[in-house]
Amino acid sequence: NNNYLSVKADFLLLARNAEVANSMSNLLSPTNPSSSSSSTRNQKQCCDNVEILDVSRGENTIKIWNWILHLDEARLYDYDYVWMIDGDIDLSSLNWHAFWQQVKLIRPKICQPAIIGNDPGAHGTSHSILNYWGDSRVLASEVAIVELMTPLFEVDTWLGYRNFIANQSPDLLRNLKRGGEDCFDLAWCHYAKFNMVGEQIWPPKKLGYRPSAPTYATPNDDANGGNVNITNSSTAVKKSQFEEHNSCVVLYQTPVVHMNKKSLGKGKNFRSGGQQVCKYFRENYRIHWAIKSVYEVFVAPV
């Protein structure tokens, strides 16, 4: 619809149920122009930018693992952003134009809209700093977590984090395949801010400038989405040569509605895998989980 005139959007739908995947594919399949009405042909034409993947078998049902498998450099070539959105997010509730204007203005590496429950008083998100704030004076804030529900990445930041994950211990990858999610979203904020170096303490005071992290960019990198290709923190590079961008940001005044359908099974593998994923990040990269001072208290208005 007209929503997508300001930002060209293509859609990849991951169907965790084979029957749903089949019915959606039939719905979006091309019709015979000679045997369909003009209105039907226009309706089908509007869906040329939608691709459906059946991920209903085995480990393919795992959300994070599907992101790692399918959102690779080849698929994301020539895109500026990649947005992973849960199926129970009501995207029609988003003020699309205002949201993207904020993204273009603030230029965060990772961000998300604030979350609202589907009824007054209904559950939005467990992370209080990511729920909608009614104070219109606060447009957005840099935070220590952008959760798995609806993260928007600059493509280079996602691919960098994906490559980082792919080069970790087989134990981490195995637990991600099992459905473990805990700390995965804290880790990508730590990656965006500090390239996974140092301890994740907010507000950050001691670590200082680290030019190899995606948050930092040269003024000449605007055409690249603000990313800088530096593999190490060379002392020959001066801080004055770089422009600092926001790493993880929540956009409070363009919220989306969370329908909270609870369709994701959270069995033994999910819980034990999550514990192991978080343990791995804590022990190897000093990322903390469930510490209020880390991600529930620190908010820096931007």
Side-chain angles (χ1 to χ4, degrees), residues 64 171-172 174-176 178-184 266-284 287-290:
I64 288 178
D171 288 340
L172 176 64
R174 182 173 59 253
N175 283 305
L176 291 173
R178 294 172 63 198
E181 296 181 350
D182 291 356
C183 292
F184 196 79
K266 297 185 178 181
K268 181 179 179 181
N269 280 345
F270 174 88
R271 300 189 184 283
S272 61
Q275 291 173 354
Q276 292 304 312
V277 169
C278 202
K279 179 182 178 183
Y280 180 89
F281 282 125
R282 183 175 63 251
E283 293 180 350
N284 291 278
I287 289 170
H288 303 289
W289 173 251

Side-chain angles (χ1 to χ4, degrees), residues 22 38 70 75 94 99 160 195 245 273 296:
N22 186 57
S38 175
H70 300 298
R75 185 179 293 276
L94 178 71
F99 176 81
N195 206 28
H245 296 275
E296 290 290 1

Side-chain angles (χ1 to χ4, degrees), residues 11 32 46 83 90 96 99 104 120 144 154 163 183 229 249 251:
F11 298 87
N32 185 343
C46 82
W83 197 358
D90 182 4
W96 182 267
F99 176 81
K104 290 165 65 177
E154 285 190 348
N163 290 337
C183 292
N229 296 318
V249 169
L251 303 170

Side-chain angles (χ1 to χ4, degrees), residues 194 213 297:
F194 296 128
V297 174

Side-chain angles (χ1 to χ4, degrees), residues 64 75 82 131 144 152 171-172 196 205 215 237:
I64 288 178
R75 185 179 293 276
V82 55
N131 281 303
L152 172 72
D171 288 340
L172 176 64
M196 303 301 285
K205 295 179 179 178
T215 293
V237 180

Side-chain angles (χ1 to χ4, degrees), residues 12 66-67 69-72 75-76 82 84 158-159 162:
L12 175 65
N66 273 295
W67 295 351
L69 284 179
H70 300 298
L71 301 179
D72 57 10
R75 185 179 293 276
L76 298 178
V82 55
M84 298 84 145
W158 163 252
L159 292 177
R162 178 182 180 272

